[in-house]
């Protein structure tokens, strides 16, 4: 590899794994005036599809949940597990049985005690087929979980059991080195069994939105804002400095930026591309590592498409041609302008392998593209110079600058392959459902790791994964992933995952575009917000100083 790329990889590995979270500002808490109410207004930039821990599958919802709820573990500045709802735990010698001792002072925001029964209920609720949780597969590490979720096993056989009010036993079907980190992920959050069973719509109303984290909801203004206050029933409430956290839902980044400049927003999640250079220069914008890949997902089944589109997109040579016709270097340089790294694989840079080198060590394609090879593949598929190729629709959500990226890709396909592309956009909530229903041809997608391991990018493409929106199915791929999950030798495990990615990048149900960074607008008086490369933002230690 060229020296500049090696430096880039090293920098991201250090940022995303050795120091995988970043503190925004730092300062002495004694500077904060005790008479001033601590209020932070943050523009989330989205109206989340759901705020139910079992049903959420988006980063925006995950940010909300991670400040309202808390799992058995939390994560530290390196995204490693530390004590959360559980004050301690033991692991059996065979690494299959975890016994968690819960904090007896942990309470729900309504004053109820948080018990092991709440965790058992919440986890089995995620796995219950009737719940329809997209993230149910993330619990397949648990003994009996996959069988229950797929209808071939019983709830009683799931390896999660409350031994008493404050002891939870979890049995895995194979050793999982990152299982403790998984317990800090939103789908593993507990829910108040009594509240949820009493009202199936509990997660849509302020009065019933009972949580166990540092903040509790007090207002929900549809399509406008969520208002949280410090949860006085939180066991660690004395460490929470904010009195109020307001999460706004302004989806237009230009409008959000104007409000930020006016001083009415203290932090914005997304910034206009045109303002990035100036914002980074004057210090109001900060770019953080983001362990994720921005990509296109292809509906390989042809479901809900005409016969000619189905024929084209079900041919892997067509998908390979589409991939090679994209100049990612140009997109990153001229369109996104946020320090993103042009992709050359699906698993992004920033995850160390068993050999301590970056797992993303294989260049599957040139980030600048290969137009000649793309033309040849398209000709082999029966569409020389694009003749006879149907017009395809490229779908994206309207929030953010996705339209600019999609337009650039459409122009490249037209220029390089002679393919006509129709662009279509939808509001975020609608778009997510459309993609999930496979009611699209090619769509924008993106994935940020749930934990620092290649598996978080690979297991979503198994044939049984509810997050596999492409319809891609490969028995060989499924077997490799299953073998990797069970493999305890780190080197062999990496080899299996590399073989799986080889299949993924040959079949191309996903066309990687770039590896994410995250540039956010943060006023200088905002201190100690933690921005994780996994996409979450934590406000439990944040405060305002000098506004």
């Amino acid at each position: 590899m060229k020296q500049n790329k090696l430096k880039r990889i090293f920098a991201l590995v250090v940022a995303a794994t050795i120091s995988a979270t970043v503190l925004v500002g730092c300062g002495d808490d004694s500077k904060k005036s005790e008479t001033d109410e601590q209020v932070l207004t943050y523009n989330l930039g989205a109206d989340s599809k759901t705020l139910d821990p079992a049903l959420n599958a988006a980063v925006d919802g995950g940010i909300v949940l991670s400040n309202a709820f808390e799992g058995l573990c939390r994560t530290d500045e390196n995204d490693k597990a530390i004590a959360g709802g559980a004050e301690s735990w033991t692991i059996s010698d065979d690494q299959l049985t975890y016994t968690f001792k819960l904090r007896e002072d942990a309470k729900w925001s309504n004053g109820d005690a948080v018990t092991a029964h709440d965790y058992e209920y919440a986890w089995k609720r995620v796995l219950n087929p009737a719940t329809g949780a997209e993230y149910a597969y993330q619990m397949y590490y648990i003994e009996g979980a996959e069988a229950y979720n797929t209808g071939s096993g019983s709830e009683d056989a799931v390896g999660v059991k409350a031994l008493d009010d404050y002891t939870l036993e979890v049995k895995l079907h194979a050793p999982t080195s990152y299982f403790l980190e998984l317990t800090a992920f939103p789908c593993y959050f507990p829910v108040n069994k009594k509240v949820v069973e009493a009202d199936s719509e509990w997660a849509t109303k302020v009065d019933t939105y009972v949580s166990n984290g540092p903040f509790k909801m007090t207002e929900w203004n549809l399509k406008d804002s969520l208002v949280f206050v410090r949860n006085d029933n939180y066991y660690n409430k004395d460490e929470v400095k904010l009195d109020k956290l307001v999460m706004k839902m302004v989806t237009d980044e230009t409008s959000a930026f104007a409000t930020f400049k006016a001083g009415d927003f203290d932090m914005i999640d997304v910034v206009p591309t045109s303002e990035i250079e100036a914002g980074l220069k004057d210090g109001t914008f900060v770019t953080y590592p983001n362990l994720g890949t921005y990509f296109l997902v292809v509906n390989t089944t042809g479901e809900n498409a005409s016969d000619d589109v189905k024929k084209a997109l079900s041919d892997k040579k067509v998908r390979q041609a589409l991939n090679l016709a994209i100049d990612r270097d140009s997109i990153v340089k001229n369109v996104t302008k946020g320090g993103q790294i042009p992709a050359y694989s699906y698993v992004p840079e920033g995850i160390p392998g068993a050999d301590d080198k970056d797992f993303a060590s294989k260049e599957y394609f040139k980030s600048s593209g290969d137009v000649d090879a793309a033309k040849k593949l398209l000709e082999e598929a029966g569409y020389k110079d694009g003749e006879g190729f149907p017009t395809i629709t490229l779908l994206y959500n309207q929030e953010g600058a996705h339209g600019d990226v999609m337009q650039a890709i459409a122009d490249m396909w037209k220029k390089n392959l002679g393919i006509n592309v129709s662009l279509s956009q939808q509001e975020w909530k609608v778009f997510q459902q459309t993609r999930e229903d496979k009611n699209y041809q090619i769509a924008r997608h993106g994935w940020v790791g749930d934990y620092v391991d290649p598996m978080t990018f690979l297991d979503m493409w198994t044939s049984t994964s509810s997050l596999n929106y492409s319809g891609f199915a490969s028995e060989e791929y499924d077997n490799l992933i299953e073998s990797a999950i069970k493999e305890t030798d780190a080197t062999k495990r990496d080899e299996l995952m590399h073989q799986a990615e080889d299949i993924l990048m040959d079949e191309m149900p996903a066309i990687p575009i770039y590896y994410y960074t995250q540039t956010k607008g943060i006023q200088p008086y905002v201190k100690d917000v933690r921005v994780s490369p996994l996409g979450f933002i934590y406000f439990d230690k944040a405060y305002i100083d000098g506004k």
Side-chain angles (χ1 to χ4, degrees):
M1 285 186 182
K2 296 180 179 179
Q3 187 177 16
N4 64 338
K5 182 169 279 190
L6 287 173
K7 287 181 179 178
R8 200 167 58 201
I9 292 174
F10 179 74
L12 188 57
V13 170
V14 170
T17 60
I18 296 177
S19 181
T21 46
V22 181
L23 296 179
V24 181
C26 59
D28 185 353
D29 185 35
S30 64
K31 295 180 181 178
K32 183 186 74 172
S33 170
E34 293 183 358
T35 61
D36 295 334
E37 185 181 31
Q38 286 281 313
V39 180
L40 191 154
T41 301
Y42 157 68
N43 187 44
L44 180 66
D47 181 9
S48 301
K49 180 181 176 182
T50 177
L51 296 181
D52 185 333
L55 299 177
N56 177 69
V59 172
D60 50 89
I63 291 172
V64 178
L65 292 167
S66 294
N67 287 281
F69 288 83
E70 182 175 273
L72 292 169
C73 290
R74 296 182 295 150
T75 54
D76 63 12
E77 289 78 6
N78 298 313
D79 280 315
K80 295 299 181 183
I82 57 175
E87 61 183 6
S88 63
W89 52 83
T90 58
I91 306 173
S92 62
D93 291 341
D94 61 6
Q95 300 179 58
L96 294 179
T97 302
Y98 288 65
T99 305
F100 294 93
K101 185 65 177 177
L102 273 60
R103 299 178 185 276
E104 295 192 15
D105 58 346
K107 295 184 181 299
W108 292 102
S109 54
N110 67 355
D112 293 346
V114 181
T115 72
H117 303 285
D118 291 321
Y119 281 92
E120 178 181 355
Y121 171 76
W123 293 14
K124 289 181 176 179
R125 176 173 174 260
V126 171
L127 291 168
N128 187 334
T131 303
E134 292 182 71
Y135 255 113
Y137 82 98
Q138 195 65 280
M139 289 187 170
Y140 285 3
Y141 302 97
I142 300 170
E143 184 179 273
E146 182 174 9
Y148 174 46
N149 183 244
T150 56
S152 60
S154 68
E155 177 181 339
D156 292 340
V158 176
V160 180
K161 184 177 182 181
L163 301 183
D164 56 48
D165 284 350
Y166 298 102
T167 308
L168 184 73
E169 181 185 77
V170 182
K171 293 184 177 181
L172 308 183
H173 71 77
T176 305
S177 61
Y178 45 85
F179 182 70
L180 289 175
E181 281 74 30
L182 282 175
T183 67
F185 191 75
C187 70
Y188 280 84
F189 288 165
V191 293
N192 187 307
K193 180 180 180 180
K194 180 179 68 175
V195 170
V196 177
E197 287 188 331
D199 186 351
S200 61
E201 301 297 318
W202 71 277
T204 65
K205 296 173 287 189
V206 174
D207 292 345
T208 52
Y209 201 74
V210 176
S211 61
N212 70 322
F215 298 97
K216 68 176 181 180
M217 188 189 297
T218 57
E219 294 181 40
W220 189 338
N221 304 301
L222 293 179
K223 294 187 179 296
D224 178 74
S225 62
L226 299 167
V227 179
F228 293 86
V229 299
R230 180 174 48 239
N231 180 7
D232 288 335
N233 283 313
Y234 182 52
Y235 68 88
N236 205 27
K237 64 181 182 298
D238 292 341
E239 297 298 317
V240 179
K241 301 169 186 175
L242 292 177
D243 298 303
K244 183 183 293 185
L245 173 63
V246 181
M247 294 190 179
K248 299 291 287 185
M249 303 175 187
V250 177
T251 59
D252 182 82
E253 59 190 37
T254 302
S255 297
F257 176 64
T259 307
F260 175 77
K261 284 188 68 177
D264 294 325
F265 284 170
D266 303 309
M267 180 173 176
I268 52 177
D269 194 69
V270 180
V271 301
T273 300
S274 60
E275 302 291 344
I276 289 178
E277 184 176 358
L280 291 174
K281 186 176 182 179
D282 66 22
T284 54
F285 291 176
V286 181
T287 296
Y288 305 97
N290 198 196
L291 194 64
T293 302
Y294 186 103
F295 62 96
L296 303 179
V297 60
V298 183
N299 186 346
T300 63
T301 67
E303 189 174 333
N304 300 310
S306 61
D307 289 343
D308 54 348
V309 171
K310 179 177 181 179
K311 177 184 176 183
L313 296 184
S314 63
D315 188 334
K316 77 174 183 180
K317 287 188 176 181
V318 168
R319 301 193 295 269
Q320 291 170 347
L322 295 174
N323 174 65
L324 293 178
I326 298 172
D327 182 351
R328 295 151 174 85
D329 297 344
S330 175
I331 290 174
V332 166
K333 179 181 178 181
N334 301 314
V335 182
T336 59
K337 302 178 183 179
Q340 295 89 351
I341 299 172
Y344 53 85
S345 60
Y346 178 68
V347 177
E349 297 176 354
I351 303 176
D355 57 2
D356 290 329
K357 297 179 181 178
D358 202 291
F359 182 87
S361 59
K362 184 173 182 178
E363 187 177 80
Y364 287 96
F365 47 84
K366 294 179 181 179
S367 59
S368 58
D370 188 337
V371 175
D372 289 340
K375 287 183 175 180
K376 182 179 179 182
L377 283 164
L378 197 65
E379 182 177 351
E380 291 174 0
Y383 304 101
K384 183 178 180 181
D385 297 326
E387 293 182 10
F389 199 93
T391 298
I392 54 177
T393 300
L394 184 53
L395 179 68
Y396 61 96
N397 58 298
Q398 62 195 28
E399 297 80 2
H402 303 301
D404 295 336
V405 177
M406 297 303 109
Q407 183 64 64
I409 292 172
D411 291 344
M412 291 173 187
W413 285 347
K414 176 62 175 177
K415 176 183 176 182
N416 298 331
L417 298 176
I419 290 175
N420 293 315
V421 179
S422 172
L423 297 179
S424 178
Q425 61 177 328
Q426 292 179 341
E427 184 267 338
W428 177 229
K429 280 185 178 181
V430 177
F431 172 76
Q432 290 181 85
Q433 193 62 51
T434 299
R435 199 171 55 183
E436 181 183 342
D437 294 340
K438 298 186 181 65
N439 192 18
Y440 72 95
Q441 296 172 15
I442 301 179
R444 184 203 76 81
H445 206 335
W447 191 256
V448 177
D450 299 332
Y451 45 92
V452 185
D453 189 274
M455 188 60 75
T456 188
F457 291 91
L458 297 173
D459 61 1
M460 65 183 288
W461 297 105
T462 59
S463 58
T464 58
S465 169
S466 56
L467 290 171
N468 179 356
Y469 301 145
S470 73
F472 161 71
S474 165
E475 184 177 354
E476 182 182 4
Y477 186 89
D478 291 352
N479 290 338
L480 285 166
I481 295 300
E482 182 63 26
S483 296
I485 289 173
K486 295 177 179 178
E487 182 57 64
T488 57
D489 182 284
T491 300
K492 292 180 180 178
R493 181 174 179 271
D494 275 6
E495 290 174 356
L496 290 166
M497 289 190 290
H498 276 300
Q499 291 174 39
E501 189 176 19
D502 290 346
I503 294 174
L504 193 67
M505 290 293 91
D506 178 59
E507 293 289 341
M508 278 290 163
I511 300 175
I513 306 300
Y514 57 76
Y515 308 136
Y516 278 115
T517 54
Q518 43 186 345
T519 299
K520 303 186 184 301
I522 303 173
Q523 303 286 8
Y525 51 76
V526 174
K527 309 297 182 182
D528 289 4
V529 173
R530 183 161 69 95
V531 180
S532 165
L534 301 181
F536 299 118
I537 302 175
Y538 299 93
F539 295 97
D540 56 314
K541 295 182 180 179
Y543 65 98
I544 303 296
D545 182 15
K547 182 175 181 179

